Amino acid sequence: MIIASEIVSEALQAIKKAVAPGITTKALEEIAEDVIRMRGGKPAFKGYKGFPASICTSVNDEVVHGIPSEEVVLKEGDIVSIDLGVIYKGYISDAAITLPVGEISEAAERLLSVTREALFEGIARAVPSNRVGDISHAIQSYVESKGYSVVRKFVGHGVGRRLHEEPQVPNFGLPGRGVKLREGMTLAIEPMVNEGTHDVSIMEDGWTAKTKDGKLSAHFEHTILIKKSGPEILTNW
Ligand code: MG
């Protein structure tokens, strides 16, 4: 998982360098695929429950699971969420970032920084003998204190030999509830934060989730390992 995470990180960093007005989301997928295959990994999302691409690219009001396309050309002021998973020798790592395309509005900038910060609020609670609800509650209360909402329809998850393992890690919930966290657990913690309503709609492609009110959404994710001493973040953007 450590090596799978290194590959995820390299691919995300390559995408980060390439994101600019005029690039297509399909081109970003190709960049990721090159890095993943060069390092001997496999894209974990391709074919997962029939998903047709190696990464998810979700622009502006798209929340998650956007499909890379030659027709989606990024433009100045957009935000694009990149979600990426890698399998290396049977082990999986999963991470996401939302990137600005050129100069973005102050409002978009703030949404990105709150979502990123919410992830670290959650990760800080990933310590042995805490419970999943402690992570969930930390994320939700931070996000709501900033005037945004957390998406309910999609959640974080255990990750390891499979992309989605128990336990689920919702971005909302009550402290002290849910599965007890133990040393050695590996989790993908991933707040999806909306400017407006938490409600989402699924588009006709069967995958792309958009905010119901058309407002912006951001997504940050790390794969982490719970150690006796606390959380270790395996991925890096
Ligand atoms: Mg995930």
Side-chain angles (χ1 to χ4, degrees):
M1 284 185 72
I2 289 171
I3 297 171
S5 299
E6 281 174 15
I7 301 171
V8 166
S9 308
E10 274 179 38
L12 284 174
Q13 279 156 22
I15 288 175
K16 207 167 164 179
K17 273 195 204 131
V19 162
I23 197 162
T24 66
T25 52
K26 182 72 188 171
L28 298 178
E29 182 191 27
E30 283 159 7
I31 289 166
E33 276 189 356
D34 282 351
V35 173
I36 294 168
R37 303 218 186 264
M38 223 157 50
R39 289 286 311 263
K42 276 190 298 188
F45 297 174
K46 198 159 206 168
Y48 182 81
K49 293 185 176 172
F51 188 73
S54 297
I55 65 172
C56 302
T57 50
S58 309
V59 183
N60 295 333
D61 62 336
E62 296 175 350
V63 178
V64 285
H65 305 160
I67 302 169
S69 162
E70 271 166 16
E71 269 140 51
V72 179
V73 182
L74 297 177
K75 56 182 198 308
E76 183 92 20
D78 283 345
I79 56 171
V80 59
S81 301
I82 309 290
D83 195 351
L84 199 156
V86 166
I87 309 174
Y88 184 78
K89 296 190 176 172
Y91 286 89
I92 298 178
S93 177
D94 185 11
I97 37 171
T98 301
L99 296 167
V101 182
E103 284 280 306
I104 60 172
S105 69
E106 243 172 70
E109 198 80 68
R110 180 173 178 268
L111 176 69
L112 264 51
S113 84
V114 167
T115 309
R116 193 186 310 113
E117 206 44 51
L119 170 61
F120 292 111
E121 289 288 319
I123 290 173
R125 271 66 177 194
V127 298
S129 80
N130 259 2
R131 290 180 183 269
V132 166
D134 295 311
I135 299 173
S136 307
H137 180 74
I139 293 171
Q140 180 180 20
S141 49
Y142 181 78
V143 167
E144 291 178 353
S145 77
K146 302 294 179 186
Y148 298 132
S149 66
V150 287
V151 171
R152 312 292 208 262
K153 195 176 168 66
F154 305 103
V155 296
H157 48 92
V159 57
R161 289 191 175 84
R162 284 175 297 122
L163 179 58
H164 294 125
E165 297 182 350
E166 291 298 314
Q168 290 200 338
V169 185
N171 298 303
F172 56 95
L174 297 170
R177 302 286 179 86
V179 170
K180 191 175 259 189
L181 302 175
R182 296 189 317 267
E183 199 182 336
M185 279 181 160
T186 44
L187 303 176
I189 302 177
E190 50 175 323
M192 289 147 265
V193 174
N194 292 355
E195 257 189 325
T197 177
H198 68 77
D199 273 334
V200 303
S201 325
I202 308 298
M203 298 298 100
E204 266 174 23
D205 61 19
W207 285 102
T208 310
K210 280 193 183 184
T211 59
K212 223 164 208 167
D213 56 10
K215 294 188 176 175
L216 295 177
S217 184
H219 180 202
F220 284 83
E221 174 181 26
H222 270 313
T223 289
I224 64 138
L225 163 65
I226 299 179
K227 295 170 106 171
K228 194 183 234 166
S229 54
E232 180 181 332
I233 301 174
L234 299 182
T235 43
N236 174 24
W237 350 276

PDB file of all heavy atoms in Angstrom, residues 45 65 83-84 93-96 155-159 163-164 188-190 192 219 221-223, ligand 1:
ATOM      1  N   PHE A  45      -9.587   2.230 -10.691  1.00  0.00           N
ATOM      2  CA  PHE A  45     -10.988   2.577 -10.988  1.00  0.00           C
ATOM      3  C   PHE A  45     -11.477   1.975 -12.299  1.00  0.00           C
ATOM      4  O   PHE A  45     -12.656   1.787 -12.486  1.00  0.00           O
ATOM      5  CB  PHE A  45     -11.181   4.110 -11.076  1.00  0.00           C
ATOM      6  CG  PHE A  45     -10.902   4.858  -9.797  1.00  0.00           C
ATOM      7  CD1 PHE A  45     -10.911   6.249  -9.786  1.00  0.00           C
ATOM      8  CD2 PHE A  45     -10.641   4.191  -8.606  1.00  0.00           C
ATOM      9  CE1 PHE A  45     -10.663   6.963  -8.613  1.00  0.00           C
ATOM     10  CE2 PHE A  45     -10.385   4.897  -7.434  1.00  0.00           C
ATOM     11  CZ  PHE A  45     -10.392   6.285  -7.442  1.00  0.00           C
ATOM     12  N   HIS A  65     -16.970  11.336  -9.522  1.00  0.00           N
ATOM     13  CA  HIS A  65     -17.237  10.314 -10.541  1.00  0.00           C
ATOM     14  C   HIS A  65     -17.456  10.863 -11.951  1.00  0.00           C
ATOM     15  O   HIS A  65     -18.056  10.191 -12.797  1.00  0.00           O
ATOM     16  CB  HIS A  65     -18.430   9.417 -10.141  1.00  0.00           C
ATOM     17  CG  HIS A  65     -18.249   8.780  -8.794  1.00  0.00           C
ATOM     18  ND1 HIS A  65     -19.300   8.279  -8.061  1.00  0.00           N
ATOM     19  CD2 HIS A  65     -17.137   8.576  -8.051  1.00  0.00           C
ATOM     20  CE1 HIS A  65     -18.838   7.800  -6.904  1.00  0.00           C
ATOM     21  NE2 HIS A  65     -17.529   7.962  -6.883  1.00  0.00           N
ATOM     22  N   ASP A  83      -9.816  12.306  -8.800  1.00  0.00           N
ATOM     23  CA  ASP A  83      -9.819  11.180  -7.868  1.00  0.00           C
ATOM     24  C   ASP A  83      -9.104  10.038  -8.570  1.00  0.00           C
ATOM     25  O   ASP A  83      -9.365   9.758  -9.739  1.00  0.00           O
ATOM     26  CB  ASP A  83     -11.270  10.812  -7.529  1.00  0.00           C
ATOM     27  CG  ASP A  83     -11.382   9.922  -6.308  1.00  0.00           C
ATOM     28  OD1 ASP A  83     -10.350   9.448  -5.805  1.00  0.00           O
ATOM     29  OD2 ASP A  83     -12.518   9.696  -5.859  1.00  0.00           O
ATOM     30  N   LEU A  84      -8.188   9.385  -7.845  1.00  0.00           N
ATOM     31  CA  LEU A  84      -7.284   8.456  -8.498  1.00  0.00           C
ATOM     32  C   LEU A  84      -6.936   7.295  -7.558  1.00  0.00           C
ATOM     33  O   LEU A  84      -6.573   7.520  -6.401  1.00  0.00           O
ATOM     34  CB  LEU A  84      -6.031   9.273  -8.826  1.00  0.00           C
ATOM     35  CG  LEU A  84      -5.034   8.838  -9.841  1.00  0.00           C
ATOM     36  CD1 LEU A  84      -4.291  10.049 -10.345  1.00  0.00           C
ATOM     37  CD2 LEU A  84      -4.083   7.821  -9.280  1.00  0.00           C
ATOM     38  N   SER A  93      -4.387   1.970  -3.165  1.00  0.00           N
ATOM     39  CA  SER A  93      -4.363   3.279  -2.508  1.00  0.00           C
ATOM     40  C   SER A  93      -5.248   4.225  -3.304  1.00  0.00           C
ATOM     41  O   SER A  93      -5.408   4.065  -4.513  1.00  0.00           O
ATOM     42  CB  SER A  93      -2.931   3.802  -2.447  1.00  0.00           C
ATOM     43  OG  SER A  93      -2.928   5.097  -1.872  1.00  0.00           O
ATOM     44  N   ASP A  94      -5.798   5.220  -2.637  1.00  0.00           N
ATOM     45  CA  ASP A  94      -6.863   6.058  -3.211  1.00  0.00           C
ATOM     46  C   ASP A  94      -6.709   7.480  -2.668  1.00  0.00           C
ATOM     47  O   ASP A  94      -6.568   7.660  -1.456  1.00  0.00           O
ATOM     48  CB  ASP A  94      -8.192   5.422  -2.752  1.00  0.00           C
ATOM     49  CG  ASP A  94      -9.440   6.062  -3.326  1.00  0.00           C
ATOM     50  OD1 ASP A  94      -9.334   6.879  -4.252  1.00  0.00           O
ATOM     51  OD2 ASP A  94     -10.525   5.717  -2.836  1.00  0.00           O
ATOM     52  N   ALA A  95      -6.699   8.480  -3.553  1.00  0.00           N
ATOM     53  CA  ALA A  95      -6.589   9.869  -3.082  1.00  0.00           C
ATOM     54  C   ALA A  95      -7.259  10.811  -4.071  1.00  0.00           C
ATOM     55  O   ALA A  95      -7.471  10.456  -5.237  1.00  0.00           O
ATOM     56  CB  ALA A  95      -5.126  10.281  -2.898  1.00  0.00           C
ATOM     57  N   ALA A  96      -7.582  12.006  -3.610  1.00  0.00           N
ATOM     58  CA  ALA A  96      -8.228  13.004  -4.471  1.00  0.00           C
ATOM     59  C   ALA A  96      -7.800  14.414  -4.079  1.00  0.00           C
ATOM     60  O   ALA A  96      -7.498  14.671  -2.912  1.00  0.00           O
ATOM     61  CB  ALA A  96      -9.752  12.881  -4.379  1.00  0.00           C
ATOM     62  N   VAL A 155     -19.306   8.329   0.717  1.00  0.00           N
ATOM     63  CA  VAL A 155     -18.575   8.334   1.991  1.00  0.00           C
ATOM     64  C   VAL A 155     -17.162   7.802   1.802  1.00  0.00           C
ATOM     65  O   VAL A 155     -16.861   7.168   0.791  1.00  0.00           O
ATOM     66  CB  VAL A 155     -19.319   7.459   3.042  1.00  0.00           C
ATOM     67  CG1 VAL A 155     -20.684   8.055   3.364  1.00  0.00           C
ATOM     68  CG2 VAL A 155     -19.459   6.010   2.583  1.00  0.00           C
ATOM     69  N   GLY A 156     -16.313   8.043   2.789  1.00  0.00           N
ATOM     70  CA  GLY A 156     -14.993   7.422   2.820  1.00  0.00           C
ATOM     71  C   GLY A 156     -15.133   5.951   3.206  1.00  0.00           C
ATOM     72  O   GLY A 156     -16.232   5.461   3.475  1.00  0.00           O
ATOM     73  N   HIS A 157     -13.979   5.263   3.286  1.00  0.00           N
ATOM     74  CA  HIS A 157     -14.055   3.806   3.375  1.00  0.00           C
ATOM     75  C   HIS A 157     -12.725   3.197   3.794  1.00  0.00           C
ATOM     76  O   HIS A 157     -11.675   3.819   3.625  1.00  0.00           O
ATOM     77  CB  HIS A 157     -14.448   3.254   1.997  1.00  0.00           C
ATOM     78  CG  HIS A 157     -13.635   3.821   0.860  1.00  0.00           C
ATOM     79  ND1 HIS A 157     -12.493   3.230   0.400  1.00  0.00           N
ATOM     80  CD2 HIS A 157     -13.769   4.972   0.146  1.00  0.00           C
ATOM     81  CE1 HIS A 157     -11.974   3.975  -0.572  1.00  0.00           C
ATOM     82  NE2 HIS A 157     -12.720   5.050  -0.743  1.00  0.00           N
ATOM     83  N   GLY A 158     -12.799   1.963   4.272  1.00  0.00           N
ATOM     84  CA  GLY A 158     -11.586   1.179   4.422  1.00  0.00           C
ATOM     85  C   GLY A 158     -11.034   0.888   3.031  1.00  0.00           C
ATOM     86  O   GLY A 158     -11.774   0.857   2.057  1.00  0.00           O
ATOM     87  N   VAL A 159      -9.720   0.696   2.949  1.00  0.00           N
ATOM     88  CA  VAL A 159      -9.100   0.402   1.647  1.00  0.00           C
ATOM     89  C   VAL A 159      -7.918  -0.528   1.900  1.00  0.00           C
ATOM     90  O   VAL A 159      -7.287  -0.459   2.956  1.00  0.00           O
ATOM     91  CB  VAL A 159      -8.664   1.715   0.937  1.00  0.00           C
ATOM     92  CG1 VAL A 159      -7.708   2.551   1.773  1.00  0.00           C
ATOM     93  CG2 VAL A 159      -8.055   1.426  -0.440  1.00  0.00           C
ATOM     94  N   LEU A 163     -10.894  -1.913  -3.194  1.00  0.00           N
ATOM     95  CA  LEU A 163     -11.007  -0.450  -3.208  1.00  0.00           C
ATOM     96  C   LEU A 163     -11.904   0.047  -2.081  1.00  0.00           C
ATOM     97  O   LEU A 163     -11.593   1.035  -1.420  1.00  0.00           O
ATOM     98  CB  LEU A 163     -11.545  -0.002  -4.575  1.00  0.00           C
ATOM     99  CG  LEU A 163     -11.758   1.495  -4.784  1.00  0.00           C
ATOM    100  CD1 LEU A 163     -10.470   2.290  -4.569  1.00  0.00           C
ATOM    101  CD2 LEU A 163     -12.314   1.766  -6.193  1.00  0.00           C
ATOM    102  N   HIS A 164     -13.022  -0.630  -1.898  1.00  0.00           N
ATOM    103  CA  HIS A 164     -13.947  -0.225  -0.829  1.00  0.00           C
ATOM    104  C   HIS A 164     -14.105  -1.364   0.157  1.00  0.00           C
ATOM    105  O   HIS A 164     -14.667  -2.392  -0.161  1.00  0.00           O
ATOM    106  CB  HIS A 164     -15.318   0.171  -1.415  1.00  0.00           C
ATOM    107  CG  HIS A 164     -15.237   1.406  -2.265  1.00  0.00           C
ATOM    108  ND1 HIS A 164     -15.674   1.450  -3.565  1.00  0.00           N
ATOM    109  CD2 HIS A 164     -14.749   2.641  -2.002  1.00  0.00           C
ATOM    110  CE1 HIS A 164     -15.463   2.662  -4.062  1.00  0.00           C
ATOM    111  NE2 HIS A 164     -14.894   3.400  -3.136  1.00  0.00           N
ATOM    112  N   ALA A 188      -9.523   5.379   3.641  1.00  0.00           N
ATOM    113  CA  ALA A 188      -9.562   6.507   2.698  1.00  0.00           C
ATOM    114  C   ALA A 188     -10.573   7.497   3.261  1.00  0.00           C
ATOM    115  O   ALA A 188     -11.767   7.218   3.308  1.00  0.00           O
ATOM    116  CB  ALA A 188      -9.976   6.030   1.315  1.00  0.00           C
ATOM    117  N   ILE A 189     -10.058   8.623   3.733  1.00  0.00           N
ATOM    118  CA  ILE A 189     -10.916   9.663   4.308  1.00  0.00           C
ATOM    119  C   ILE A 189     -11.091  10.725   3.237  1.00  0.00           C
ATOM    120  O   ILE A 189     -10.098  11.170   2.639  1.00  0.00           O
ATOM    121  CB  ILE A 189     -10.288  10.237   5.597  1.00  0.00           C
ATOM    122  CG1 ILE A 189     -10.067   9.090   6.602  1.00  0.00           C
ATOM    123  CG2 ILE A 189     -11.174  11.319   6.204  1.00  0.00           C
ATOM    124  CD1 ILE A 189      -9.386   9.529   7.893  1.00  0.00           C
ATOM    125  N   GLU A 190     -12.336  11.128   2.949  1.00  0.00           N
ATOM    126  CA  GLU A 190     -12.549  11.948   1.751  1.00  0.00           C
ATOM    127  C   GLU A 190     -13.766  12.857   1.824  1.00  0.00           C
ATOM    128  O   GLU A 190     -14.796  12.568   1.241  1.00  0.00           O
ATOM    129  CB  GLU A 190     -12.639  11.068   0.513  1.00  0.00           C
ATOM    130  CG  GLU A 190     -13.591   9.896   0.579  1.00  0.00           C
ATOM    131  CD  GLU A 190     -13.680   9.161  -0.766  1.00  0.00           C
ATOM    132  OE1 GLU A 190     -13.645   9.814  -1.810  1.00  0.00           O
ATOM    133  OE2 GLU A 190     -13.795   7.927  -0.760  1.00  0.00           O
ATOM    134  N   MET A 192     -16.354  15.437   0.791  1.00  0.00           N
ATOM    135  CA  MET A 192     -16.880  16.105  -0.403  1.00  0.00           C
ATOM    136  C   MET A 192     -17.746  17.234   0.129  1.00  0.00           C
ATOM    137  O   MET A 192     -18.684  16.987   0.889  1.00  0.00           O
ATOM    138  CB  MET A 192     -17.720  15.118  -1.223  1.00  0.00           C
ATOM    139  CG  MET A 192     -16.896  14.049  -1.908  1.00  0.00           C
ATOM    140  SD  MET A 192     -17.786  12.478  -2.021  1.00  0.00           S
ATOM    141  CE  MET A 192     -17.148  11.641  -0.549  1.00  0.00           C
ATOM    142  N   HIS A 219     -13.431  18.260  -3.261  1.00  0.00           N
ATOM    143  CA  HIS A 219     -13.185  16.900  -2.764  1.00  0.00           C
ATOM    144  C   HIS A 219     -11.687  16.710  -2.511  1.00  0.00           C
ATOM    145  O   HIS A 219     -10.883  16.900  -3.423  1.00  0.00           O
ATOM    146  CB  HIS A 219     -13.671  15.925  -3.846  1.00  0.00           C
ATOM    147  CG  HIS A 219     -13.505  14.477  -3.521  1.00  0.00           C
ATOM    148  ND1 HIS A 219     -13.456  13.513  -4.503  1.00  0.00           N
ATOM    149  CD2 HIS A 219     -13.389  13.801  -2.348  1.00  0.00           C
ATOM    150  CE1 HIS A 219     -13.330  12.315  -3.951  1.00  0.00           C
ATOM    151  NE2 HIS A 219     -13.273  12.456  -2.641  1.00  0.00           N
ATOM    152  N   GLU A 221      -8.938  13.874  -0.559  1.00  0.00           N
ATOM    153  CA  GLU A 221      -8.878  12.524   0.009  1.00  0.00           C
ATOM    154  C   GLU A 221      -7.433  12.087   0.205  1.00  0.00           C
ATOM    155  O   GLU A 221      -6.583  12.346  -0.652  1.00  0.00           O
ATOM    156  CB  GLU A 221      -9.570  11.546  -0.957  1.00  0.00           C
ATOM    157  CG  GLU A 221      -9.472  10.078  -0.567  1.00  0.00           C
ATOM    158  CD  GLU A 221     -10.159   9.158  -1.577  1.00  0.00           C
ATOM    159  OE1 GLU A 221     -10.271   9.531  -2.758  1.00  0.00           O
ATOM    160  OE2 GLU A 221     -10.584   8.056  -1.180  1.00  0.00           O
ATOM    161  N   HIS A 222      -7.200  11.415   1.326  1.00  0.00           N
ATOM    162  CA  HIS A 222      -5.931  10.740   1.552  1.00  0.00           C
ATOM    163  C   HIS A 222      -6.202   9.309   1.997  1.00  0.00           C
ATOM    164  O   HIS A 222      -7.199   9.043   2.663  1.00  0.00           O
ATOM    165  CB  HIS A 222      -5.143  11.402   2.696  1.00  0.00           C
ATOM    166  CG  HIS A 222      -4.226  12.507   2.280  1.00  0.00           C
ATOM    167  ND1 HIS A 222      -3.357  12.427   1.219  1.00  0.00           N
ATOM    168  CD2 HIS A 222      -4.025  13.737   2.820  1.00  0.00           C
ATOM    169  CE1 HIS A 222      -2.657  13.548   1.124  1.00  0.00           C
ATOM    170  NE2 HIS A 222      -3.057  14.369   2.072  1.00  0.00           N
ATOM    171  N   THR A 223      -5.278   8.408   1.645  1.00  0.00           N
ATOM    172  CA  THR A 223      -5.256   7.082   2.266  1.00  0.00           C
ATOM    173  C   THR A 223      -4.324   7.164   3.466  1.00  0.00           C
ATOM    174  O   THR A 223      -3.200   7.659   3.345  1.00  0.00           O
ATOM    175  CB  THR A 223      -4.774   6.016   1.259  1.00  0.00           C
ATOM    176  OG1 THR A 223      -5.798   5.832   0.277  1.00  0.00           O
ATOM    177  CG2 THR A 223      -4.510   4.681   1.944  1.00  0.00           C
TER     178      THR A 223
HETATM  179 MG    MG B   1     -12.195   6.847  -2.049  1.00  0.00          MG
END
